[in-house]
Amino acid sequence: MPNLEHPAYPAADLLRLESLVPCRESQVSMLLSIFGERRHFSFPSIFIYGHTSSGKTYVMQTLLTTLQLPHVFVNCVEYFTSRLLLEEILIQLQSCSGTEQTSPVHCDTLNDFVRLFKQAVASQELQDQTIYIVLDRAEQLREMEANILPAFLRLQELTDRNVTVVLLSEIVWELFRPNVGCFEPFTMYFPDYSIGHLQKILSQNHPPEYSADFYAAYINILLGVFYMVCRDLKELQHLAALNFAKYCEPVVRGEANERDTRKLWKNIEPQLKKAMQTVYLREISSSQWERLQHDGGEPGQLKGLSAHTHVELPYYSKFLLIAAYLASYNPVRTDKRFFLKHHGKIRKTNFMKKHEKTSNHLLGPKPFPLDRLLAILYSIVDNRVAPTANIFSQITSLVTLQLLAMVGQNDQLDGPRYKCTVSLDFIRAIAR
């Protein structure tokens, strides 16, 4: 018995839709009940949110395309300004109405968009049914003009047309709501896929030369390894396609049959451990990965981000780190003796303060002002160094890195009176 039923749409289209969106039948059924029939006025705006790869974009595209509903689908990352966004919506509306575009669309303001929108949907076909405007990555609307988001939420009222705006986002509606208030959309949540859902979805893509049970066993092994570190459906699909050839090697060579899961697991286990090192990174292409496995390469041969064990710092950043280290551990009164060639006669004395009898490395780094850092830098660099923007930008980068490290360690920063300190551990961390 089909899970999707609606009197306004053919049963064959609903059956096909159900096969295209597995494990999302409840969300599709909810959307169909909200949409209603083609000629009915739907809810003015719908807000759909959920984590990455939870099927929001795919379900909306498949639903609107399969049922042949007039729609506009725009990614707000690609059209990052209000003008580009409004013009793209009008261009796609003209193609939906079947009118040929004789001149480029220019839309500078929201008033122009409302006027041109009414002209674009003036055809009889679009007047008789609901038009759906889907804005993917809708969180980008918060970076546009303040009137864009409220206008889209009540576009049905502004244009007096049968239109529904669907916002797709990865963040909750509370982070969208303007301070002055706006029309509240109908909110809908797409939960993450469970391991059973991922097993069902990934098992549908089995190659025709192998049985469905054989590929389902492979997906079960793959999820057993990667599910705790990766819930992204797209990444899991990539990993499944990338490692399946290695899983089939004993079957191809005739060393095992499709039911000998233990031998198949021992064959693919080393490769899955290597693939764990580069989850999400996509450091190498699928063809390079297959070539590496065919040649029997080791994980250390990967020429990606994780293979870099040495990072070369900018030229002056090395001396800045040295100068900061010297300023952190040496008292101010020793600068003249260490960094001046003609410092005059030094008076010897055995008097030492009580705290100076302890090693400075045990006491930790001491704060120092920026002027002292630059003075030490000029003395340890062979050539003359001008206080240019390049020097100060490198100082800013190093201080920012240390501030982030201190915040991560829950250290208290003393507001505007904070002075920099550089420890040996910090230098070692930067050098790595």
Side-chain angles (χ1 to χ4, degrees), residues 187-216:
T187 59
M188 187 174 177
Y189 175 61
F190 271 52
D192 292 340
Y193 289 109
S194 64
I195 188 170
H197 292 162
L198 294 174
Q199 172 79 27
K200 181 179 179 180
I201 295 172
L202 294 173
S203 299
Q204 289 184 340
N205 300 324
H206 70 90
E209 59 270 18
Y210 295 98
S211 63
D213 294 337
F214 175 70
Y215 193 75

Side-chain angles (χ1 to χ4, degrees), residues 341-387:
K341 294 182 180 179
H342 307 286
H343 49 71
K345 186 177 180 180
I346 300 177
R347 186 178 175 183
K348 293 184 179 180
T349 177
N350 293 328
F351 174 76
M352 293 182 63
K353 296 181 180 179
K354 183 178 181 180
H355 69 275
E356 291 182 352
K357 294 181 181 180
T358 307
S359 174
N360 288 332
H361 287 87
L362 298 178
L363 297 175
K366 302 295 188 300
F368 57 88
L370 180 61
D371 294 340
R372 186 183 175 209
L373 172 68
L374 294 176
I376 297 177
L377 173 68
Y378 300 151
S379 64
I380 63 177
V381 177
D382 294 335
N383 52 347
R384 289 180 62 101
V385 182

Side-chain angles (χ1 to χ4, degrees), residues 72-91:
V72 172
F73 212 99
V74 182
N75 191 321
C76 296
V77 175
E78 298 179 9
Y79 304 93
F80 51 90
T81 64
S82 58
R83 179 176 178 178
L84 292 174
L85 179 64
L86 299 177
E87 289 180 355
E88 178 62 20
I89 292 174
L90 293 173
I91 291 173

Side-chain angles (χ1 to χ4, degrees), residues 72-260:
V72 172
F73 212 99
V74 182
N75 191 321
C76 296
V77 175
E78 298 179 9
Y79 304 93
F80 51 90
T81 64
S82 58
R83 179 176 178 178
L84 292 174
L85 179 64
L86 299 177
E87 289 180 355
E88 178 62 20
I89 292 174
L90 293 173
I91 291 173
Q92 294 191 29
L93 274 177
Q94 290 182 353
S95 62
C96 288
S97 61
T99 58
E100 296 183 359
Q101 183 179 351
T102 57
S103 60
V105 178
H106 296 287
C107 181
D108 297 324
T109 64
L110 196 59
N111 290 334
D112 294 338
F113 174 75
V114 173
R115 176 177 53 84
L116 295 173
F117 183 88
K118 292 181 179 179
Q119 296 177 3
V121 299
S123 64
Q124 188 66 27
E125 295 180 358
L126 295 182
Q127 285 183 350
D128 293 340
Q129 50 186 333
T130 307
I131 302 171
Y132 298 93
I133 299 179
V134 184
L135 302 179
D136 196 10
R137 303 293 297 274
E139 57 267 12
Q140 300 298 323
L141 295 176
R142 303 181 302 168
E143 308 296 331
M144 301 181 186
E145 289 80 354
N147 63 336
I148 293 297
L149 178 59
F152 275 122
L153 293 176
R154 58 196 317 156
L155 186 62
Q156 188 178 107
E157 177 184 347
L158 294 175
T159 59
D160 194 23
R161 296 293 186 271
N162 190 2
V163 57
T164 295
V165 178
V166 182
L167 305 177
L168 306 180
S169 177
E170 296 179 3
I171 61 178
V172 297
W173 167 247
E174 284 71 20
L175 299 178
F176 273 81
R177 186 183 290 113
N179 295 329
V180 295
C182 64
F183 182 83
E184 293 288 328
F186 179 86
T187 59
M188 187 174 177
Y189 175 61
F190 271 52
D192 292 340
Y193 289 109
S194 64
I195 188 170
H197 292 162
L198 294 174
Q199 172 79 27
K200 181 179 179 180
I201 295 172
L202 294 173
S203 299
Q204 289 184 340
N205 300 324
H206 70 90
E209 59 270 18
Y210 295 98
S211 63
D213 294 337
F214 175 70
Y215 193 75
Y218 163 68
I219 295 298
N220 189 30
I221 292 175
L222 187 78
L223 291 177
V225 175
F226 290 100
Y227 183 73
M228 295 302 296
V229 297
C230 177
R231 309 290 175 89
D232 193 322
L233 178 60
K234 295 179 181 178
E235 186 70 20
L236 290 173
Q237 288 175 336
H238 173 73
L239 292 170
L242 204 61
N243 299 291
F244 183 64
K246 184 70 175 179
Y247 182 75
C248 299
E249 281 184 356
V251 179
V252 174
R253 293 195 299 259
E255 299 175 356
N257 54 36
E258 293 186 358
R259 296 185 178 182
D260 196 354

Side-chain angles (χ1 to χ4, degrees), residues 273-289:
K273 288 182 178 179
K274 296 177 185 178
M276 283 281 288
Q277 301 176 10
T278 57
V279 176
Y280 290 113
L281 294 181
R282 303 289 180 89
E283 296 177 341
I284 58 176
S285 64
S286 301
S287 59
Q288 290 173 331
W289 173 261

